[in-house]
Amino acid sequence: MARTKVATRDWTRRRTAKRDRLERVRPFVSGRVLDAGRMGAALEALLRPGDRVALEGDNQKQADFLAEALAGCDPTVVHDLHLLISSISLREHLDLFERGVARRLDFAYAGPQSVRMAQLLADGKVEVGAIHTYVELYARMFVDLIPNVALLCAEQADRDGNLFTGPSTEDTPTIAEAVAFSDGVTVVQVNEIVDEVPRVDIPGDWVDLIVRSPRPFALEPLFTRDPRHIGQVEILMAMMTLRGIYERHGVTTLNHGIGYDTAAIELLLPTYGEELGLRGKICRHWALNPHPTLIPAIESGWVESVHCFGGEPGTERYVAARPDVFFTGRDGSLRSNRVLCQLAGQYAVDLFIGSSLQIDGSANSSTVTEGRLSGFGGAPNMGHDPHGRRHPSSAWLSLLTGQAPALRGRKLVAQITQTFRSGGDPAFVETLDAVPVGKDASMPIPPIMIYGDDVSHVVTEEGVAYLYQASSLAERREAVAAVAGATAIGREIDERRVAELRRDGLVALPEDLKVDVRRAKRSLLAARSVEDLVAWSGGLYDPPARFRTW
């Protein structure tokens, strides 16, 4: 059969476009080094209207110099950009939309800018493609959201473009790979240009242009919690969690979210956990940043390994001195990787425990509330039961589900929260604010962070609800109500029904777990201040100034 003749196709359009971009920016470059004083003009030469631009706002570190230069571009030259950014953290990130430089946005988290984000959406200044999880957003950069340009940051570069990202590598290698191997242009702001980098975290042939920033890139100590702010309620919930979840299920691999609730658990391991004889039996392998509140547990021999999403300012010397625990390079500094750690938190751990701003009666939760479009970050990645898991563990098998012969285990997904949050707002609500917010924003589905059918446990100051034991949706709702306190959800259930749920193992109050409420005092914490954490570290932990009280 004769072949149909087709027009000759150009298979190298992206490569040609990259050459054209680099040629246009040549007046601003010496070798690979951009002139920092002309950064705005360089970006105007490099970018084209409608480009997809991956900008490193990460969870913690920010390519802030490049963000500022981008926000200052002439919107008659650079406009309608499609911004791909994991964390909207800086004012400049949203200035892009107010000025018309950017139009469309795909992101994962907008906590620091969530109120302004909601307003810009209501004003029609920004079009949201989707609110992603971290892994989801980066995965799409290799599929249907391939960036034309990446604006990244690193600690150091040599003149060949080899990058040293240091302890806070985070998302940089993943974005750089997506762009470098699709003929996009990678621009990196660095704190220093050196003759030789301590280690090559990203090879120079993935990097097109570097610029020395006039100031070090912004880095937020996002996971640092001062033990001074941990109160008796957090300690009580931590005691119940240790007894009612970690001990009961034999949790050895886990992830902790950000918050004082989980910080309290970490600080009880060397004290209350030691009393219970649990060292070596629980909490051995972790996927989390180098939380300062984990230092006492590490020093007490509880922790065997920690793989990190990113670094934490002030912990650099401590981490370098504990290479048996942390993943470090030959240079001694931490090697973090948000995507790989998210995957570890999704598939390699037995338990995720975190908090939320709102939880409904079916245990659906979200951090999107009225007037705040905050997004989710990585919680949905780790806070669900991944059906692709196949390796067994005691904790996973303790939640056996399915019908023989197709049985499988289940990941433990715990939500921990006080029944009322600061300001008196109830944590448990009949309808999540995310539902009307999603409707008003014309989202096809409401922005729910963790779906209730993935939640296995709920912990409050009232007790622990074992949702995986429920035989029906109605019974799940009753178990949630039993620990929801004086909220509207909690008032749906009477004492007689709570007693039945306790008898049947769906709910456990402190006395059921043999937790003495009178012992929930700050004296039970292994460290009661940041200064105590420094002492535990042998002086290796160097906390940021805002956490110093001495």
Side-chain angles (χ1 to χ4, degrees):
M1 182 182 294
R3 294 179 61 185
T4 303
K5 188 175 181 179
V6 296
T8 302
R9 175 176 170 179
D10 181 1
W11 295 95
T12 59
R13 286 177 296 174
R14 292 193 306 197
R15 192 164 297 171
T16 301
K18 177 173 182 173
R19 280 198 303 268
D20 291 344
R21 290 176 191 269
L22 293 177
E23 185 62 33
R24 291 179 62 185
V25 85
R26 187 178 296 277
F28 310 98
V29 180
S30 174
R32 294 182 191 234
V33 181
L34 280 162
D35 181 351
R38 305 172 70 194
M39 196 63 235
L43 288 176
E44 289 176 0
L46 179 67
L47 293 166
R48 298 173 178 175
D51 273 347
R52 285 198 200 107
V53 177
L55 174 61
E56 226 178 358
D58 293 342
N59 203 7
Q60 291 171 274
K61 71 174 183 176
Q62 312 293 327
D64 51 346
F65 173 64
L66 292 177
E68 183 179 304
L70 184 61
C73 284
D74 183 347
T76 65
V77 177
V78 179
H79 55 84
D80 294 314
L81 297 180
H82 182 173
L83 191 67
L84 312 177
I85 184 169
S86 64
S87 179
I88 302 168
S89 302
L90 305 177
R91 174 178 53 82
E92 290 83 3
H93 293 160
L94 294 181
D95 287 349
L96 289 165
F97 296 91
E98 283 200 335
R99 298 193 66 246
V101 174
R103 180 67 183 174
R104 189 168 177 81
L105 173 67
D106 280 277
F107 73 109
Y109 182 64
Q113 299 291 330
S114 57
V115 174
R116 188 179 176 204
M117 176 68 202
Q119 188 60 54
L120 287 175
L121 186 65
D123 293 343
K125 295 283 189 179
V126 57
E127 299 172 1
V128 174
I131 306 174
H132 301 73
T133 70
Y134 290 132
V135 172
E136 183 181 18
L137 178 59
Y138 298 129
R140 290 190 68 191
M141 290 187 192
F142 291 87
V143 183
D144 61 330
L145 290 180
I146 299 172
N148 303 104
V149 175
L151 304 178
L152 310 177
C153 57
E155 289 279 355
Q156 296 178 347
D158 63 22
R159 294 190 179 277
D160 292 324
N162 296 304
L163 300 182
F164 171 60
T165 52
S168 291
T169 296
E170 296 195 53
D171 314 326
T172 319
T174 305
I175 302 172
E177 181 164 343
V179 175
F181 292 91
S182 61
D183 289 312
V185 176
T186 302
V187 184
V188 185
Q189 74 170 72
V190 297
N191 296 340
E192 292 182 283
I193 297 177
V194 298
D195 292 331
E196 184 178 358
V197 292
R199 71 174 191 236
V200 176
D201 288 317
I202 298 174
D205 59 0
W206 294 16
V207 177
D208 299 296
L209 301 165
I210 56 176
V211 58
R212 181 175 180 178
S213 172
R215 61 184 182 275
F217 61 74
L219 184 62
E220 179 69 18
L222 190 63
F223 293 85
T224 298
R225 290 294 178 269
D226 188 340
R228 293 180 190 274
H229 301 302
I230 297 174
Q232 294 182 4
V233 175
E234 287 90 357
I235 294 168
L236 174 61
M237 292 194 298
M239 293 169 72
M240 288 192 289
T241 301
L242 284 174
R243 295 233 64 175
I245 301 179
Y246 292 16
E247 180 182 21
R248 176 174 295 193
H249 296 285
V251 174
T252 59
T253 59
L254 69 161
N255 165 263
H256 274 186
I258 306 170
Y260 291 105
D261 303 323
T262 48
I265 298 171
E266 293 158 18
L267 289 172
L268 288 188
L269 292 176
T271 57
Y272 190 60
E274 197 73 34
E275 287 180 23
L276 298 174
L278 296 177
R279 180 155 52 94
K281 299 177 182 178
I282 65 169
C283 301
R284 292 162 50 200
H285 303 285
W286 299 71
L288 84 175
N289 274 44
H291 290 192
T293 46
L294 196 60
I295 290 174
I298 294 171
E299 296 300 302
S300 300
W302 280 74
V303 179
E304 295 180 27
S305 69
V306 178
H307 188 254
C308 301
F309 306 101
E312 190 71 5
T315 64
E316 294 86 358
R317 287 194 303 135
Y318 179 74
V319 168
R322 301 292 183 266
D324 282 354
V325 173
F326 294 95
F327 289 72
T328 57
R330 291 183 181 181
D331 66 305
S333 68
L334 179 71
R335 169 66 175 192
S336 60
N337 188 304
R338 186 167 310 284
V339 172
L340 293 182
C341 199
Q342 287 280 327
L343 289 174
Q346 185 172 4
Y347 280 99
V349 304
D350 292 325
L351 173 138
F352 162 82
I353 183 168
S355 191
S356 182
L357 295 180
Q358 288 186 337
I359 302 174
D360 70 14
S362 300
N364 299 301
S365 66
S366 186
T367 51
V368 173
T369 56
E370 185 180 0
R372 301 182 71 95
L373 194 65
S374 55
F376 316 124
N381 287 133
M382 294 170 290
H384 82 285
D385 176 34
H387 289 193
R389 173 171 169 166
R390 293 297 181 268
H391 74 279
S393 67
S394 296
W396 188 70
L397 292 172
S398 71
L399 272 64
L400 204 63
T401 186
Q403 298 292 325
L407 294 171
R408 64 179 182 85
R410 181 175 167 183
K411 183 178 180 179
L412 283 72
V413 175
Q415 293 278 268
I416 182 169
T417 183
Q418 296 182 38
T419 54
F420 286 87
R421 309 194 69 85
S422 59
D425 294 327
F428 292 88
V429 296
E430 188 60 44
T431 302
L432 298 174
D433 285 358
V435 174
V437 167
K439 184 177 181 180
D440 292 344
S442 300
M443 295 180 181
I445 57 173
I448 292 171
M449 182 174 70
I450 296 178
Y451 290 106
D453 55 5
D454 275 316
V455 178
S456 59
H457 301 73
V458 174
V459 183
T460 72
E461 72 273 19
E462 301 288 334
V464 180
Y466 296 92
L467 303 189
Y468 70 93
Q469 299 272 37
S471 59
S472 66
L473 292 175
E475 200 167 53
R476 281 176 62 87
R477 187 179 178 91
E478 288 178 323
V480 171
V483 298
T487 65
I489 297 295
R491 294 196 297 271
E492 292 179 0
I493 194 167
D494 59 36
E495 292 184 6
R496 179 192 59 79
R497 182 56 182 147
V498 172
E500 293 172 349
L501 294 172
R502 292 170 66 187
R503 180 199 65 203
D504 296 339
L506 276 82
V507 172
L509 304 188
E511 55 266 38
D512 303 323
L513 300 171
K514 296 183 171 57
V515 170
D516 186 349
V517 176
R518 296 169 299 178
R519 296 199 62 206
K521 298 179 179 179
R522 283 181 47 79
S523 57
L524 200 56
L525 297 174
R528 293 184 284 280
S529 67
V530 172
E531 189 173 6
D532 288 346
L533 295 175
V534 174
W536 269 101
S537 75
L540 293 170
Y541 175 43
D542 183 23
R546 77 176 82 165
F547 295 102
R548 291 179 176 270
T549 56
W550 63 95

